[in-house]
């Protein structure tokens, strides 16, 4: 089927906007990440926040992934319901409601969690008690990104000891999300933290790194045992900008229709902030790349309108044209929809529920 | 129930983040908008894109709203399924799939649509034919906002004639979304367009204006028959910044938990871009207002992390604290969740489905 026929068929069957995933590209992306991990001798634990689909998670497992990573307890519950085991929840879980649910989850699947402070650690034994088994806890460490994670080696060591001393908790290791150019800093942090916990008789069984751009750094940090990459399964405009994906590696596009052309330099897509989201992808120009009109700029949004600046275009879209957009940040776009339209070899093959979407907690 | 007790109860029952709506405030907001419309002698046709709830739409109708406005065909279908009639879809509907659905919708409820170009108008007779009744079409006109809408009076007149000449279509009038300070320009456009269509024997039965900030302008444009306001039902940080709402008028808050405090000036909320969205509300500083810590800045996001800059705070939140956030743009936040937690008189009363969410088309 030609791409024009496919676009017309998607519009006819589903209407636009439609969020379309090419499963051939997904499979290539999964295989590439697995090969990178295998070559580095590092276990692959893909982050499912990007696709929120137990089906795609199963494709990743089948390709060789050790386990999966989730950011939300609710995501982990959906994955467990679908038969997935060996789940890392890379997040500080806090509050009675979540701890009770974590206990219930731990009673049926292998699950580990991250923590970056003693308040979180203090709450976790209750989950182990509910489950009647130990809960593995990783110490999240920050080496420059200023996100979550303890800021110092001393805190990392103290938190590891705290975990090890609590009933029902087991110190599992260290979790990093290193800035792309921080291999040396991360290595120094890891070495010092590992030496510190060894003095207390503890051993980090898991040393986890994260991020799709860091796939090219696999093997640069000695002692890493597994890696968490999310975006690589679909890729997006951020990954294009970072130079870690090509257009051929982008598995997800938003199909949109041009619904207005009020002036020569202006156009409107039927995809606004409620579809593409206002995520700038860390400062990209505009809100997505239109494959058919790469010179068109998605300049601003209303909720259901994408306002196009066509002043740089030689070839301008007409009202009624269906175009494909690579979004700035694919993970937040998937999160907007209940179903992805799937294609293979240029033909529609079905729809895939974004099963873990909507699980806010 | 004290606010601290309510926050603890929401966290205990639903976990955080939770999107919480105070129905007492909603009712006050609905009554205020209706009173403003009544005082101006203008029909109230609230835009349901903000709440996407047939239940809240019913509250608006009960208070006196003439009908409702939708931005998506899928929203209108959900509202019709729930018993709502007299629906304006304020959008260019295009493509066979949507026109067929529009026809089916028109066969069961009164529905009008907007159009700003002849390609859209050309497709609409098919819907009327399917329904076996006339479809009312408004000409969308732009008077400075550079969104949808014909840019000139001549185009407005030509499009009105085009509509009137097509089988099954009825020219219903003009639709504006005037910039807040453009009453004179909009009046001039309307007067000229009305004079033009009258020469062709047409009369604009409906002249519709839109926008919550424009509620203070009701009555300034002669000939307006109805108004579409959306955000006013909940209000948000944009409306606070525009000076058209006070804190007491903000009906929706996101309850979030502080899950990390890696450094003295930093904190992390369990609400990121997948909850609060990256909408800047037209250039506001930060991604929301924390009621308990108004000096805290939600400086940036990961998908499930809200990164706080606490450097300006006298009183800093602790790990485990539950805080309430007024989002920059409430309409896009409601669109992230499947259910809103509802409270009255400071007590949880239930959950309200965001029934029209997820209807991308």
């Amino acid at each position: 089927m030609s791409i024009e026929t496919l676009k017309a068929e998607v519009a006819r069957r589903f209407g636009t906007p439609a969020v379309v995933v090419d499963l051939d590209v997904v499979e290539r992306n999964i295989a590439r990440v697995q090969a990178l991990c295998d070559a580095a001798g590092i276990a692959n634990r893909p982050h499912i926040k990007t696709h929120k689909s137990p089906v795609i998670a199963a494709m990743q497992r089948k390709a060789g992934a050790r386990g999966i990573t989730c950011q939300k307890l609710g995501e982990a519950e959906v994955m467990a319901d679908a038969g997935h085991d060996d789940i890392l929840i890379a997040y500080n879980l806090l509050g009675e409601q979540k701890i009770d649910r974590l206990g219930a989850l731990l009673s049926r699947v292998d699950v580990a969690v991250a923590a970056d402070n003693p308040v979180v650690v203090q709450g976790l034994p209750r989950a182990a008690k509910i489950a009647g088994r130990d809960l593995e806890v990783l110490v999240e460490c920050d080496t420059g990104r200023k996100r979550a994670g303890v800021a110092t080696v001393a805190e990392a060591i103290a938190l590891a000891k705290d975990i090890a001393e609590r009933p029902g908790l087991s110190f599992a290791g260290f979790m990093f999300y290193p800035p792309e150019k921080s291999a040396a800093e991360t290595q120094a942090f890891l070495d010092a933290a590992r030496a510190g916990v060894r003095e207390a008789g503890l051993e980090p069984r898991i040393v986890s790194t994260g991020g799709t751009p860091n796939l090219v750094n696999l093997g640069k940090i000695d002692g890493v045992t597994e890696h968490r990459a999310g975006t690589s399964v679909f890729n997006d405009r951020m990954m294009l900008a970072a130079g870690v994906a090509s257009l051929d590696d982008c598995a997800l596009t938003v199909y949109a229709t041009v619904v207005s052309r009020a002036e020569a330099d202006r156009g409107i897509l039927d995809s606004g902030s409620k579809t593409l989201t206002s995520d700038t992808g860390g400062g990209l120009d505009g809100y997505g790349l239109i494959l058919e009109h790469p010179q068109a700029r998605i300049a601003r949004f209303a909720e259901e309108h994408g306002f196009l600046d066509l002043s740089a275009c030689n070839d301008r879209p007409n009202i009624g044209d269906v175009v494909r957009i690579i979004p700035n940040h694919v993970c937040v776009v998937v999160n907007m929809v209940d179903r992805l339209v799937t294609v293979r070899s240029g033909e529609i093959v079905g729809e895939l529920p974004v099963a873990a979407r909507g699980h806010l907690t």
Side-chain angles (χ1 to χ4, degrees), chain A:
Chain A
M1 195 185 282
S2 77
I3 185 62
E4 290 310 316
T5 310
L6 175 62
K7 290 198 291 188
E9 186 69 10
V10 166
R12 193 187 64 74
R13 281 183 56 182
F14 304 102
T16 62
V19 181
V20 180
V21 166
D22 188 321
L23 292 176
D24 297 326
V25 181
V26 168
E27 284 179 357
R28 281 208 311 270
N29 291 343
I30 289 173
R32 185 172 51 244
V33 171
Q34 188 63 48
L36 285 168
C37 289
D38 289 348
I42 288 171
N44 181 23
R45 185 181 290 283
H47 206 311
I48 65 83
K49 65 170 182 133
T50 305
H51 54 70
K52 298 202 175 201
S53 159
V55 175
I56 296 183
M59 292 165 66
Q60 293 171 315
R61 298 292 280 267
K62 195 175 167 201
R66 164 84 50 94
I68 57 173
T69 309
C70 297
Q71 203 71 352
K72 290 275 181 185
L73 182 55
E75 292 171 354
E77 289 166 339
V78 168
M79 292 293 150
D81 289 347
H84 285 286
D85 203 337
D86 197 350
I87 302 172
L88 167 62
I89 304 175
Y91 205 85
N92 285 325
L93 294 179
L94 200 57
E96 191 182 313
Q97 193 255 14
K98 292 206 181 84
I99 299 304
D100 287 0
R101 288 163 56 199
L102 177 62
L105 184 66
L106 181 63
S107 71
R108 58 188 178 119
V109 298
D110 288 342
V111 55
V113 300
D116 80 352
N117 66 74
V119 180
V120 166
V121 168
Q122 189 175 9
L124 294 174
R126 178 184 163 107
K129 192 172 179 193
I130 290 167
R133 60 185 289 208
D134 276 8
L135 173 64
E136 296 209 304
V137 186
L138 285 84
V139 174
E140 183 165 9
C141 306
D142 180 48
T143 55
R145 211 178 275 270
K146 303 276 177 186
R147 290 170 42 121
V150 295
T152 66
V153 170
E155 286 171 287
I157 296 166
L159 204 56
K161 289 181 188 171
D162 187 7
I163 291 163
E165 286 165 7
R166 302 237 173 219
L169 302 190
S170 165
F171 168 68
F174 298 110
M175 187 175 95
F176 297 90
Y177 184 15
E180 281 81 46
K181 293 177 181 174
S182 74
E185 291 85 344
T186 303
Q187 185 75 65
F189 194 113
L190 171 58
D191 291 347
R194 187 167 41 196
V197 300
R198 279 180 178 162
E199 278 181 25
L202 300 173
E203 185 64 33
R205 187 177 63 76
I206 299 170
V207 176
S208 171
T209 52
T212 289
N214 273 324
L215 284 168
V216 298
N217 295 324
L218 288 183
K220 287 187 187 167
I221 302 168
D222 192 45
V224 170
T225 66
E226 59 183 55
H227 190 74
R228 319 174 310 278
T231 311
S232 56
V233 72
F234 291 153
N235 291 308
D236 56 22
R237 200 161 164 240
M238 269 202 290
M239 295 306 113
L240 292 174
V244 299
S246 70
L247 282 178
D248 286 345
D249 304 326
C250 292
L252 182 146
T253 46
V254 176
Y255 285 37
T257 301
V258 178
V259 295
S260 179
R261 281 292 313 281
E263 292 177 321
D265 282 351
R266 290 200 285 128
I268 302 181
L269 298 177
D270 62 357
S271 297
S273 59
K274 282 180 173 170
T275 305
L276 290 166
T277 90
S278 298
D279 200 310
T280 62
L284 296 170
D285 181 51
Y287 292 104
L289 172 66
I290 302 177
L291 290 177
E292 292 82 355
H293 301 276
Q295 297 156 327
R297 184 166 175 269
I298 306 177
R300 58 195 179 95
F301 281 141
E303 288 154 52
E304 308 293 358
H305 290 137
F307 299 108
L308 302 178
D309 175 356
L310 305 173
S311 55
C313 292
N314 296 319
D315 173 35
R316 295 172 186 208
N318 296 311
I319 294 171
D321 285 0
V322 176
V323 298
R324 292 163 297 152
I325 305 157
I326 296 178
N328 283 353
H329 186 184
V330 75
C331 309
V332 291
V333 171
V334 170
N335 187 54
M336 304 306 281
V337 298
D338 294 333
R339 280 169 299 282
L340 305 169
V341 176
T342 50
V343 302
R344 266 190 197 282
S345 309
E347 307 232 1
I348 297 167
V349 290
E351 287 184 279
L352 196 60
V354 185
R357 195 215 68 81
H359 294 259
L360 262 201
T361 62

